[in-house]
Amino acid sequence: MASGDRDDQRFVEIIGVPIEAGAGHPGALMGPAALRTAGLVRALRELGHEVRDLGDLSPNPWGEGDAATARLAEITAWSRALADRSYAMMQGGGVPVFLGGDHSLSMGSVTGVARHCRETGKPLFVLWLDAHGDFNTPHTSPSGNMHGMPVALLCGEDGFDDVFPPEQRATVNPAHVHLFGIRSLDPGERRLLRARGVDVVDMRLIDEHGVGVHMRRIIERVRQAGGHLHVSLDVDFLDPAIAPAVGTAVLGGATYREAHLIMEMLHDAGVVGSLDVVELNPFLDERGKSALLLVDLVASLFGRRIIDPAVTQSQIGGQAV
């Protein structure tokens, strides 16, 4: 199992982002606490990584107004604060891990990462593990909930001009975005995704070819470009039978082994430089089931394995098995 004697130890910085203003159901603000309670920090330290928990982010106060105006102001405040913190964490040379909180937090986390990558000349790629495309805009969204819009904002779509000031703003090339595990798209975002050339691996493709084929393709793209891969893991990427703690559950998600295989392949590739873990709503969980699974997946991403793959069958017990 986990051991701290390998040569792939990393400096990991963890920060909680207890925001739920972008979601339609209350409870996601408890996500960071649940992940810590489920043993995230301990699991990473047991793998030999140096881990610093920065606590939870606190944004500047936001203005009042009607409900819609107040929610936008709150999300803007969180996004700006997180973009600055994300950028600073990247400048520090560690691996930032952002604990949510609803998926609107990625507006801030990825913007900060994108700003750092732009300044260092490193191509940024984003792997979006999610049931939804999150490519709606204020003009296309049926619900108006901003946790369904972060990818559109990050790719520079219209309707988000007031979220970031010019000095903070940094976008992601839509051709470098990989939506993975998708099984629910609204008509407007489907049209936008096609028009912008975003790579969409839906569950039909995964059912046909398996996760390995598509993950190898994505990893190879990042490797060839010498890129930084940001992974954004939404709990609804997983099938609700194994991860029920989400307000936007969609049947037919990734299985336990599919999810772990993705994390194991990403770790082996060594291309992941930052991570979001979002949309965990402990109010909807079953005895911590979803939080514990997410901790296990993050541990796999950071190197937990059953046995070192360099150990061949003939070396086990001194004989072939």
Side-chain angles (χ1 to χ4, degrees):
M1 294 298 289
S3 65
D5 58 356
R6 300 196 307 273
D7 60 359
D8 58 354
Q9 281 83 41
R10 309 286 297 274
F11 169 47
V12 182
E13 284 194 311
I14 293 172
I15 189 163
V17 191
I19 178 176
E20 63 182 18
H25 297 85
L29 63 80
M30 299 184 289
L35 289 165
R36 291 184 176 104
T37 301
L40 179 62
V41 174
R42 181 178 64 253
L44 294 177
R45 285 178 175 158
E46 287 176 349
L47 288 164
H49 302 295
E50 179 186 351
V51 182
R52 182 165 68 169
D53 188 346
L54 302 176
D56 288 349
L57 184 71
S58 295
N60 292 325
W62 54 88
E64 298 181 358
D66 60 43
T69 302
R71 290 181 73 187
L72 177 58
E74 181 177 353
I75 292 167
T76 298
W78 278 102
S79 297
R80 292 181 180 186
L82 185 53
D84 281 344
R85 181 60 67 90
S86 171
Y87 174 74
M89 292 167 75
M90 289 296 300
Q91 294 287 89
V95 181
V97 177
F98 307 97
L99 307 181
D102 74 68
H103 220 156
S104 68
L105 74 83
S106 297
M107 296 178 176
S109 64
V110 182
T111 293
V113 172
R115 180 181 166 198
H116 172 79
C117 288
R118 182 180 64 195
E119 292 180 0
T120 58
K122 198 172 184 69
L124 173 61
F125 293 79
V126 175
L127 176 62
W128 202 263
L129 300 171
D130 203 314
H132 307 87
D134 292 348
F135 212 86
N136 271 305
T137 73
H139 310 297
T140 66
S141 173
S143 69
N145 293 328
M146 289 192 74
H147 69 167
M149 305 184 197
V151 185
L153 175 143
L154 294 168
C155 290
E157 292 297 323
D158 293 335
F160 304 101
D161 292 343
D162 295 332
V163 176
F164 293 110
E167 64 271 17
Q168 272 193 319
R169 193 174 298 125
T171 58
V172 181
N173 182 347
H176 287 185
V177 175
H178 298 273
L179 306 184
F180 203 95
I182 306 303
R183 51 197 190 276
S184 177
L185 291 174
D186 295 314
E189 65 179 340
R190 184 182 292 112
R191 289 191 293 270
L192 275 176
L193 287 166
R194 287 172 176 163
R196 303 299 183 253
V198 175
D199 179 44
V200 180
V201 179
D202 64 9
M203 288 306 297
R204 163 69 185 270
L205 289 173
I206 291 173
D207 288 342
E208 285 196 56
H209 308 126
V211 298
V213 169
H214 296 286
M215 285 307 306
R216 279 190 287 271
R217 173 178 61 83
I218 293 167
I219 288 169
E220 189 57 29
R221 281 199 71 201
V222 180
R223 276 178 166 166
Q224 287 185 356
H228 172 111
L229 182 62
H230 179 94
V231 175
S232 199
L233 172 61
D234 188 317
V235 69
D236 72 19
F237 167 70
L238 304 162
D239 192 87
I242 60 172
V246 63
T248 53
V250 184
L251 294 175
T255 67
Y256 180 89
R257 272 310 312 161
E258 286 173 335
H260 272 287
L261 177 59
I262 289 167
M263 296 301 165
E264 291 159 358
M265 292 179 71
L266 289 170
H267 171 262
D268 292 346
V271 294
V272 176
S274 48
L275 171 69
D276 302 325
V277 184
V278 304
E279 295 286 351
L280 175 66
N281 188 332
F283 186 73
L284 303 174
D285 209 356
E286 300 172 2
R287 301 173 65 88
K289 179 178 181 179
S290 306
L292 291 167
L293 175 53
L294 288 172
V295 168
D296 282 346
L297 290 174
V298 174
S300 287
L301 178 61
F302 280 88
R304 180 186 286 173
R305 57 173 68 113
I306 296 171
I307 194 167
D308 192 324
V311 178
T312 62
Q313 285 186 332
S314 62
Q315 294 171 308
I316 301 174
Q319 60 183 0
V321 291

